[in-house]
Amino acid sequence: MTERIILFDGVCNLCNNAVQHVIKNDARKLFRFASLQSEFGKQTLQKYKLQANDLSSFILLDNEKLYKKSSGALRVSKYLGGAWPLLYTMIIIPSFIRDAVYSWIARNRYKWFGKQETCWLPTPELKERFIN
C-alpha cells in the first residue's frame, strides 16, 4: 500500500488551512498528516538530513521519497479531487523559480496569515489520519 504523509508547520495558519483543504478534497483518504514539530516530524527531518529548526517547508513523503516546497505541494494536488490535479501542470516550471515564489510566501506566512500558539488539533473523526 502506498503511504503518503504530509508534514507541515503546525502553528502556521496558512499551513493548517492547506491541510484542511487537502482533507476536504481527499475523498480517497490517500494522505496522512504530521506537524513538523511532532516527534515524527523531527525524526523525519533528521532521517532526511534536513534542518530540525526549518519549519518553512511543506514536505510530502510519498512511499519514503521526499518532496519539498513547491514540488511537494504540486504533487499533492495531483491526487486531489475536482480540478486540483490541473495545478500539477505547473511542475514544468523550473523548480528554482517555483521554489523562489514558495520561499517568499513561506518567509511572510506568519505576517500575512498569522500563527497559533499551539499546533492545530484534529477533530476526533480525523485523528486517525494524523501521526503524533
Side-chain angles (χ1 to χ4, degrees), residues 17-131:
N17 287 335
V19 166
Q20 291 174 38
H21 172 78
V22 170
I23 290 168
K24 180 180 164 189
N25 291 282
D26 180 21
R28 297 177 290 167
K29 297 184 179 179
L30 299 175
F31 295 99
R32 295 182 67 207
F33 308 90
S35 75
L36 288 163
Q37 293 92 338
S38 70
E39 199 54 44
F40 178 83
K42 292 174 188 173
Q43 289 172 1
T44 301
L45 290 172
Q46 185 177 17
K47 177 181 176 179
Y48 288 93
K49 297 178 178 28
L50 300 171
Q51 291 200 354
N53 62 348
D54 181 11
L55 305 177
S56 66
S57 185
F58 176 97
I59 296 173
L60 171 65
L61 284 174
D62 192 348
N63 272 340
E64 296 291 319
K65 184 161 168 72
L66 185 129
Y67 299 91
K68 296 184 342 179
K69 297 186 177 189
S70 65
S71 296
L74 289 173
R75 193 164 186 86
V76 167
S77 73
K78 183 170 132 173
Y79 298 107
L80 298 179
W84 293 107
L86 293 174
L87 281 178
Y88 189 69
T89 60
M90 293 176 66
I91 203 80
I92 64 170
I93 298 169
S95 63
F96 74 92
I97 295 171
R98 287 185 280 114
D99 286 344
V101 172
Y102 180 97
S103 294
W104 176 66
I105 294 169
R107 277 191 308 275
N108 292 290
R109 71 190 188 280
Y110 293 149
K111 181 171 47 172
W112 295 341
F113 301 97
K115 72 184 233 182
Q116 302 172 26
E117 293 301 315
T118 59
C119 290
W120 172 71
L121 296 174
T123 62
E125 302 84 47
L126 295 176
K127 223 173 182 84
E128 69 185 25
R129 296 185 65 191
F130 283 77
I131 302 167

